[in-house]
Coordinates of all heavy atoms in Angstrom, one line a residue:
T656 N 0.8 -1.2 0.0 CA 0.0 0.0 0.0 C 0.9 1.3 0.0 O 1.9 1.3 0.7 CB -0.9 0.0 1.2 OG1 -1.8 -1.1 1.1 CG2 -1.8 1.3 1.2
M657 N 0.5 2.3 -0.8 CA 1.1 3.6 -0.8 C 0.0 4.6 -0.5 O -1.2 4.3 -0.6 CB 1.7 3.9 -2.2 CG 2.7 2.8 -2.7 SD 3.5 3.3 -4.2 CE 4.7 4.5 -3.6
G658 N 0.4 5.8 -0.1 CA -0.6 6.8 0.2 C 0.0 8.2 0.4 O 1.2 8.3 0.4
W659 N -0.9 9.1 0.6 CA -0.5 10.5 0.8 C -1.2 10.9 2.1 O -2.4 10.6 2.3 CB -1.0 11.4 -0.3 CG -0.2 11.2 -1.5 CD1 -0.5 10.4 -2.6 CD2 1.1 11.8 -1.9 NE1 0.5 10.5 -3.6 CE2 1.5 11.4 -3.2 CE3 1.9 12.8 -1.2 CZ2 2.6 11.8 -3.8 CZ3 3.1 13.2 -1.8 CH2 3.4 12.7 -3.1
Y660 N -0.5 11.6 3.0 CA -1.0 12.2 4.2 C -0.6 13.7 4.2 O 0.3 14.1 3.4 CB -0.4 11.5 5.4 CG -0.8 10.1 5.5 CD1 -0.2 9.1 4.7 CD2 -1.7 9.7 6.5 CE1 -0.6 7.8 4.8 CE2 -2.1 8.3 6.6 CZ -1.5 7.4 5.7 OH -1.9 6.1 5.9
R661 N -1.3 14.5 5.0 CA -0.9 15.9 5.1 C -1.0 16.4 6.5 O -1.8 15.9 7.3 CB -1.8 16.7 4.1 CG -3.3 16.8 4.5 CD -4.1 17.5 3.5 NE -5.5 17.6 3.8 CZ -6.4 18.0 3.0 NH1 -6.1 18.4 1.8 NH2 -7.7 18.1 3.4
Q662 N -0.3 17.5 6.8 CA -0.4 18.1 8.1 C -0.4 19.6 7.9 O 0.5 20.2 7.4 CB 0.9 17.7 8.9 CG 0.8 18.2 10.4 CD 1.8 17.6 11.3 OE1 2.8 17.0 10.8 NE2 1.5 17.6 12.5
A663 N -1.5 20.2 8.3 CA -1.8 21.6 8.2 C -1.2 22.3 9.4 O -1.1 21.7 10.5 CB -3.2 22.0 8.0
P664 N -0.9 23.6 9.3 CA -0.4 24.4 10.5 C -1.4 24.2 11.7 O -2.6 24.4 11.6 CB -0.4 25.8 10.0 CG -0.2 25.7 8.5 CD -1.0 24.5 8.1
G665 N -0.8 23.8 12.8 CA -1.6 23.7 14.1 C -2.5 22.5 14.1 O -3.3 22.4 15.1
K666 N -2.4 21.6 13.2 CA -3.2 20.4 13.1 C -2.4 19.1 13.1 O -1.2 19.1 12.8 CB -4.2 20.4 11.9 CG -5.1 21.6 11.9 CD -6.0 21.6 10.7 CE -7.0 20.4 10.8 NZ -7.9 20.4 9.6
Q667 N -3.1 18.0 13.4 CA -2.4 16.7 13.3 C -2.4 16.2 11.9 O -3.1 16.6 11.0 CB -3.2 15.7 14.2 CG -3.2 15.9 15.7 CD -4.0 14.9 16.4 OE1 -5.1 14.5 16.0 NE2 -3.5 14.4 17.5
R668 N -1.4 15.3 11.7 CA -1.3 14.6 10.4 C -2.6 13.8 10.1 O -3.1 13.1 11.0 CB -0.1 13.7 10.3 CG 0.2 13.2 8.9 CD 1.3 12.1 8.9 NE 2.5 12.7 9.5 CZ 3.6 11.9 9.7 NH1 3.6 10.6 9.4 NH2 4.7 12.5 10.2
E669 N -3.1 13.9 8.9 CA -4.3 13.2 8.5 C -4.1 12.5 7.2 O -3.3 12.9 6.3 CB -5.5 14.2 8.4 CG -5.4 15.2 7.3 CD -6.6 16.1 7.2 OE1 -7.5 15.9 7.9 OE2 -6.6 17.0 6.3
L670 N -4.9 11.4 7.0 CA -5.0 10.7 5.8 C -5.6 11.5 4.7 O -6.6 12.2 4.9 CB -5.8 9.4 6.0 CG -6.2 8.6 4.7 CD1 -5.0 7.9 4.2 CD2 -7.3 7.7 5.0
V671 N -4.9 11.5 3.5 CA -5.5 12.0 2.3 C -6.1 10.9 1.5 O -7.3 10.9 1.1 CB -4.5 12.8 1.5 CG1 -5.1 13.4 0.2 CG2 -3.9 14.0 2.3
V672 N -5.3 9.9 1.1 CA -5.7 8.8 0.3 C -4.7 7.7 0.4 O -3.5 8.0 0.5 CB -6.0 9.2 -1.2 CG1 -4.7 9.8 -1.8 CG2 -6.6 8.1 -2.0
T673 N -5.1 6.5 0.3 CA -4.2 5.3 0.1 C -4.6 4.5 -1.1 O -5.8 4.6 -1.6 CB -4.2 4.4 1.3 OG1 -5.6 3.9 1.6 CG2 -3.7 5.1 2.6
I674 N -3.7 3.8 -1.6 CA -3.9 2.9 -2.8 C -3.2 1.6 -2.6 O -2.0 1.6 -2.3 CB -3.6 3.6 -4.1 CG1 -3.9 2.7 -5.3 CG2 -2.1 4.0 -4.1 CD1 -3.8 3.4 -6.6
T675 N -3.8 0.5 -2.7 CA -3.2 -0.8 -2.6 C -2.5 -1.2 -3.8 O -2.6 -0.6 -4.9 CB -4.2 -1.9 -2.2 OG1 -5.1 -2.2 -3.3 CG2 -5.1 -1.5 -1.0
S676 N -1.7 -2.3 -3.7 CA -1.0 -2.9 -4.9 C -2.0 -3.3 -6.0 O -1.6 -3.3 -7.2 CB -0.1 -4.0 -4.5 OG -0.9 -5.1 -3.9
G677 N -3.2 -3.6 -5.6 CA -4.3 -4.0 -6.6 C -5.1 -2.8 -7.0 O -6.1 -3.0 -7.6
A678 N -4.7 -1.6 -6.6 CA -5.3 -0.3 -7.1 C -6.6 0.0 -6.4 O -7.4 0.8 -6.9 CB -5.5 -0.3 -8.6
R679 N -6.9 -0.6 -5.2 CA -8.0 -0.2 -4.4 C -7.7 1.1 -3.7 O -6.6 1.2 -3.2 CB -8.4 -1.3 -3.4 CG -8.9 -2.6 -4.1 CD -9.3 -3.6 -3.0 NE -10.3 -3.2 -2.1 CZ -10.7 -3.8 -1.1 NH1 -10.1 -5.0 -0.8 NH2 -11.7 -3.4 -0.3
T680 N -8.6 2.0 -3.7 CA -8.3 3.3 -3.1 C -9.2 3.6 -1.9 O -10.3 3.1 -1.8 CB -8.5 4.4 -4.1 OG1 -9.8 4.4 -4.7 CG2 -7.5 4.3 -5.3
N681 N -8.8 4.5 -1.0 CA -9.5 5.0 0.1 C -9.2 6.5 0.3 O -8.1 6.8 0.7 CB -9.1 4.2 1.4 CG -9.8 4.6 2.6 OD1 -11.0 5.1 2.5 ND2 -9.2 4.5 3.8
Y682 N -10.2 7.3 0.0 CA -10.0 8.7 0.0 C -10.7 9.3 1.3 O -11.8 8.9 1.7 CB -10.7 9.4 -1.2 CG -10.0 9.2 -2.5 CD1 -10.4 8.1 -3.3 CD2 -9.1 10.1 -3.0 CE1 -9.8 7.9 -4.5 CE2 -8.5 9.9 -4.2 CZ -8.8 8.8 -5.0 OH -8.2 8.6 -6.2
A683 N -10.1 10.4 1.8 CA -10.7 11.2 2.8 C -11.9 11.9 2.2 O -11.9 12.3 1.1 CB -9.7 12.2 3.4
D684 N -13.0 12.0 3.0 CA -14.1 12.7 2.5 C -13.8 14.1 2.0 O -14.5 14.6 1.0 CB -15.2 12.7 3.5 CG -15.9 11.4 3.8 OD1 -15.7 10.5 2.9 OD2 -16.5 11.2 4.9
S685 N -12.9 14.8 2.6 CA -12.6 16.2 2.3 C -12.0 16.4 0.9 O -12.0 17.5 0.4 CB -11.7 16.8 3.3 OG -10.5 16.1 3.4
V686 N -11.4 15.3 0.3 CA -10.8 15.4 -1.0 C -11.5 14.6 -2.0 O -11.1 14.7 -3.2 CB -9.3 15.0 -0.9 CG1 -8.6 15.8 0.2 CG2 -9.1 13.5 -0.7
K687 N -12.4 13.8 -1.7 CA -13.1 12.9 -2.6 C -13.8 13.7 -3.7 O -14.5 14.7 -3.5 CB -14.1 12.0 -1.9 CG -14.7 10.9 -2.7 CD -15.5 10.0 -1.8 CE -14.8 9.4 -0.7 NZ -15.6 8.5 0.2
G688 N -13.5 13.3 -5.0 CA -14.1 14.1 -6.1 C -13.2 15.2 -6.6 O -13.4 15.7 -7.7
R689 N -12.1 15.5 -5.9 CA -11.2 16.6 -6.3 C -9.8 16.0 -6.5 O -9.1 16.5 -7.4 CB -11.1 17.7 -5.3 CG -12.5 18.4 -5.0 CD -12.3 19.6 -4.1 NE -11.8 19.2 -2.8 CZ -10.7 19.7 -2.3 NH1 -9.9 20.5 -2.9 NH2 -10.3 19.3 -1.0
F690 N -9.4 15.1 -5.7 CA -8.0 14.5 -5.8 C -8.1 13.1 -6.4 O -9.1 12.3 -6.2 CB -7.4 14.4 -4.4 CG -7.1 15.7 -3.8 CD1 -7.5 16.9 -4.3 CD2 -6.3 15.7 -2.6 CE1 -7.1 18.1 -3.7 CE2 -6.0 16.9 -2.0 CZ -6.4 18.1 -2.5
T691 N -7.1 12.7 -7.1 CA -7.0 11.4 -7.7 C -5.6 10.8 -7.5 O -4.6 11.5 -7.9 CB -7.3 11.4 -9.2 OG1 -8.6 12.0 -9.4 CG2 -7.3 10.0 -9.8
I692 N -5.5 9.6 -6.9 CA -4.3 9.0 -6.8 C -4.1 7.9 -7.9 O -5.0 7.3 -8.3 CB -4.2 8.3 -5.4 CG1 -2.8 7.8 -5.0 CG2 -5.2 7.1 -5.2 CD1 -2.6 7.4 -3.6
S693 N -2.8 7.7 -8.2 CA -2.5 6.7 -9.2 C -1.1 6.1 -8.9 O -0.3 6.8 -8.2 CB -2.5 7.2 -10.7 OG -1.6 8.3 -10.8
R694 N -0.8 4.9 -9.4 CA 0.5 4.4 -9.1 C 1.0 3.6 -10.3 O 0.2 3.1 -11.1 CB 0.5 3.5 -7.9 CG -0.4 2.2 -8.0 CD -0.5 1.4 -6.7 NE 0.8 0.8 -6.4 CZ 1.1 0.2 -5.2 NH1 0.2 0.3 -4.2 NH2 2.3 -0.4 -5.0
D695 N 2.3 3.4 -10.4 CA 2.9 2.6 -11.4 C 3.8 1.6 -10.7 O 4.8 1.9 -10.2 CB 3.8 3.5 -12.3 CG 4.4 2.8 -13.5 OD1 4.6 1.6 -13.4 OD2 4.6 3.4 -14.5
N696 N 3.3 0.4 -10.7 CA 4.0 -0.7 -9.9 C 5.3 -1.0 -10.5 O 6.2 -1.4 -9.7 CB 3.1 -1.9 -9.8 CG 1.8 -1.7 -9.0 OD1 1.8 -0.9 -8.1 ND2 0.8 -2.5 -9.3
A697 N 5.5 -0.9 -11.8 CA 6.8 -1.2 -12.4 C 7.8 -0.2 -12.0 O 9.0 -0.5 -12.0 CB 6.6 -1.3 -13.9
K698 N 7.4 1.1 -11.8 CA 8.4 2.1 -11.5 C 8.4 2.5 -10.0 O 9.2 3.3 -9.6 CB 8.1 3.4 -12.3 CG 8.2 3.2 -13.8 CD 7.8 4.5 -14.5 CE 7.9 4.4 -16.0 NZ 7.6 5.6 -16.7

């Protein structure tokens, strides 16, 4: 699994999105519909 997390000023680190080796994704509600994750397993 790979993913992106973020930490805003004065806030805790939070999940943005994860993606499994089989390309299953899990987006935070705050970014769903605006952000898109992708991966290249070969690279």
Side-chain angles (χ1 to χ4, degrees):
T656 300
M657 305 184 78
W659 292 93
Y660 296 74
R661 67 187 182 186
Q662 188 165 19
K666 299 181 66 177
Q667 295 180 315
R668 188 189 301 176
E669 65 177 359
L670 168 74
V671 178
V672 59
T673 59
I674 182 168
T675 69
S676 60
R679 294 179 62 186
T680 58
N681 180 32
Y682 290 90
D684 288 341
S685 59
V686 306
K687 195 172 299 182
R689 299 187 298 121
F690 292 9
T691 303
I692 192 171
S693 60
R694 65 184 290 168
D695 186 331
N696 292 336
K698 297 180 179 179

